[in-house]
Amino acid sequence: MSNKLDSARQLSVDDQDEKMPTRNTLRYIILGLLAAHPMSGYDIKRAFDRSLATYWNAGNSQIYTTLKTLAERGLVSSEVVYQEDRPNRRVYRLTPAGRAAFDAWLSEPVPPRFTKDEFLTKLFFCGQTSDEAALRHLEAHLEALRAQLADMEWALREYGDRPTRRPRLLEYQMLVRDYKQAILQTDLAMTEQAIARIRARL
Amino acid sequence: MSNKLDSARQLSVDDQDEKMPTRNTLRYIILGLLAAHPMSGYDIKRAFDRSLATYWNAGNSQIYTTLKTLAERGLVSSEVVYQEDRPNRRVYRLTPAGRAAFDAWLSEPVPPRFTKDEFLTKLFFCGQTSDEAALRHLEAHLEALRAQLADMEWALREYGDRPTRRPRLLEYQMLVRDYKQAILQTDLAMTEQAIARIRARL
DNA sequence: GTTTGCATGTAAACCGTTACATGATTGG
DNA sequence: CCAATCATGTAACGGTTTACATGCAAAC
């Protein structure tokens, strides 16, 4: 469909490329979190669950391995913090190179990519089943959406109004939150409408 | 969490399990398309671009390899259709086993999975850059959304009103289309609102 | 005394993207 | 002559998920 300028791809002269060539959004998320404060892998996982889970998430296994590769590339450094009563923590912080890489990512445009939506994809094919089966999917989706909206409300109450010394960060986070919430609400409204549409025929 | 019946996991004697255990939405999409009519890999690619691209897409390489594994597992069969003037086509059709697998997928609930949204993720971190950079991202997103909406309109005009002998299929496809369109419109509205919000400060 | 929370990881399988490869025909 | 359409694939890499593995402390 759109077919404009695929190749603005000159050979860049400098091959300092400890290549970080592809996408790896997760790497940059971790750098971005560490830009706010030093954290352990465990902390990062909690940051996902608290505030990021709606837009992205990752399992522990991916987080820990990614931290390791970031360290190998010199984008983060780490030190062990010894604790009694609890397991020791390995705390990571950004290096200047890491900060630079993060800034570069922030200023780059988001590369386009096809969306993948398992729910809509299945619904697309539901003409090949019974309306009852379709209704089951829609109702399950409705429930999932309500749970997600409730989670967002909860996270807002729990973590949203804490004082911060970086109001700009919070401002964008709230902006994104509102954005996502509006989409979820439309999603919910459309699911309800679809249910009504199908029920009307039974 | 669950720690009860791990031991239901004895070596199963029958290794008919040509296991199709994971997710692979693409496999089922292909089965679903073939359920409507027999098609070649090329046709499947076109079906994606015409009507499915908004919810899912795949490159040729993945399509052709997936067709091969589906054939190995006996879910589809194929025959070569010879053509003059053009390359021959290998046309695939569902086997009864394939139809059964597709039906099973349709009746299963959609397994939950974390969403990943590169755009919102980047916006989430935009408090660490200039508002100008954030505006650039938002404006690029706006343009992408407009293009996508235009594509959907175009696809509707081009392929949407053709007569069909399976009105139920089309009905669900229209439902999903409306659904997606509403979400894109909310997306667009929120992007515009975010742009206004940031501009108000400059 | 069992579950939850803290804390860190490894290995393998699986899914998706990018790059590459080929070759005839039709239309501008 | 160049681009697009038709048509089919292979190879390599990279990113994600799932399963497995460990172990102490506090709380119920």
Side-chain angles (χ1 to χ4, degrees), chain A residues 57-100:
Chain A
N57 210 331
N60 281 337
S61 69
Q62 211 187 348
I63 290 169
Y64 286 108
T65 53
T66 302
L67 280 168
K68 197 162 277 187
T69 71
L70 289 173
E72 276 163 20
R73 293 175 188 206
L75 302 177
V76 301
S77 61
S78 74
E79 56 188 322
V80 175
V81 175
Y82 293 92
Q83 301 189 124
E84 307 166 358
D85 294 2
R86 302 202 202 163
N88 299 326
R89 318 168 66 226
R90 176 168 292 275
V91 174
Y92 291 86
R93 70 180 64 243
L94 274 195
T95 62
R99 178 75 219 191

Side-chain angles (χ1 to χ4, degrees), chain B residues 2-111:
Chain B
S2 57
N3 207 357
K4 311 226 150 155
L5 7 133
D6 277 332
S7 46
R9 171 90 359 166
Q10 288 135 0
L11 313 180
S12 68
V13 184
D14 58 333
D15 290 83
Q16 63 174 26
D17 66 359
E18 283 289 355
K19 62 188 163 191
M20 203 154 151
T22 30
R23 229 173 200 116
N24 217 339
T25 307
L26 180 61
R27 282 181 200 169
Y28 295 105
I29 292 173
I30 290 178
L31 294 178
L33 291 172
L34 295 179
H37 11 249
M39 290 169 127
S40 67
Y42 193 83
D43 294 331
I44 288 169
K45 180 57 181 161
R46 269 161 68 226
F48 270 109
D49 292 340
R50 281 178 183 174
S51 52
L52 261 165
T54 326
Y55 325 112
W56 204 277
N57 210 332
N60 280 337
S61 69
Q62 211 188 350
I63 291 169
Y64 285 109
T65 54
T66 301
L67 280 168
K68 197 162 275 188
T69 71
L70 289 173
E72 275 162 20
R73 294 176 187 206
L75 301 178
V76 301
S77 62
S78 74
E79 55 188 322
V80 175
V81 176
Y82 293 91
Q83 301 188 126
E84 307 166 0
D85 293 2
R86 305 211 200 155
N88 298 327
R89 317 168 65 228
R90 175 167 294 275
V91 174
Y92 291 85
R93 68 182 65 243
L94 275 194
T95 61
R99 177 75 220 192
F102 176 65
D103 288 340
W105 176 72
L106 263 190
S107 64
E108 267 162 25
V110 178

Side-chain angles (χ1 to χ4, degrees), chain A residues 106 137 171 179 187 191 201, chain B residues 137 171 179 187 191 201:
Chain A
L106 263 191
H137 296 313
E171 219 175 309
Y179 197 128
D187 207 330
T191 302
R201 296 206 310 235
Chain B
H137 296 313
E171 220 174 309
Y179 198 127
D187 208 332
T191 302
R201 296 205 311 236

Side-chain angles (χ1 to χ4, degrees), chain A residues 1-2 23 25 28-30 32-33 35-36 45 49 51-58 62 99 102-111 113-131 133-138 140-141 145 148 168-169 171-176 178-180 182-183 186-188 190-191 194 197-198 201, chain B residues 23 25 28-30 32-33 35-36 45 49-58 62 99 102-103 105-111 113-131 133-138 140-141 145 148 151 154 168-169 171-176 178-180 182-183 186-188 190-191 194 197-198 201:
Chain A
M1 274 149 227
S2 54
R23 231 172 198 121
T25 307
Y28 295 105
I29 293 173
I30 289 178
L33 291 172
K45 179 55 179 163
D49 293 341
S51 52
L52 261 165
T54 327
Y55 325 113
W56 203 277
N57 210 331
Q62 211 187 348
R99 178 75 219 191
F102 176 64
D103 288 340
W105 176 73
L106 263 191
S107 66
E108 268 162 23
V110 178
R113 187 184 261 180
F114 293 123
T115 330
K116 304 204 185 266
D117 186 320
E118 295 184 81
F119 169 68
L120 287 183
T121 298
K122 190 169 282 200
L123 198 55
F124 182 89
F125 287 109
C126 271
Q128 310 223 12
T129 321
S130 64
D131 287 339
L135 281 173
R136 274 197 297 280
H137 296 313
L138 285 161
H141 190 60
L145 287 170
Q148 224 189 323
R168 262 187 104 248
L169 298 193
E171 219 175 309
Y172 273 89
Q173 289 171 21
M174 288 295 109
L175 183 112
V176 175
D178 293 349
Y179 197 128
K180 182 71 188 198
I183 287 174
T186 302
D187 207 330
L188 195 130
M190 289 309 290
T191 302
R197 219 154 132 178
I198 294 171
R201 296 206 310 235
Chain B
R23 229 173 200 116
T25 307
Y28 295 105
I29 292 173
I30 290 178
L33 291 172
K45 180 57 181 161
D49 292 340
R50 281 178 183 174
S51 52
L52 261 165
T54 326
Y55 325 112
W56 204 277
N57 210 332
Q62 211 188 350
R99 177 75 220 192
F102 176 65
D103 288 340
W105 176 72
L106 263 190
S107 64
E108 267 162 25
V110 178
R113 186 182 262 179
F114 293 123
T115 331
K116 304 200 186 270
D117 187 317
E118 295 184 82
F119 169 68
L120 288 184
T121 298
K122 190 168 282 200
L123 198 56
F124 182 89
F125 287 107
C126 272
Q128 310 223 13
T129 321
S130 65
D131 287 340
L135 281 173
R136 275 198 296 280
H137 296 313
L138 285 161
H141 190 59
L145 286 170
Q148 224 190 322
D151 269 7
W154 172 84
R168 262 187 104 248
L169 299 193
E171 220 174 309
Y172 274 90
Q173 289 171 20
M174 289 295 110
L175 182 108
V176 175
D178 293 349
Y179 198 127
K180 181 73 187 195
I183 287 175
T186 301
D187 208 332
L188 195 130
M190 289 309 290
T191 302
R197 221 155 133 178
I198 294 171
R201 296 205 311 236

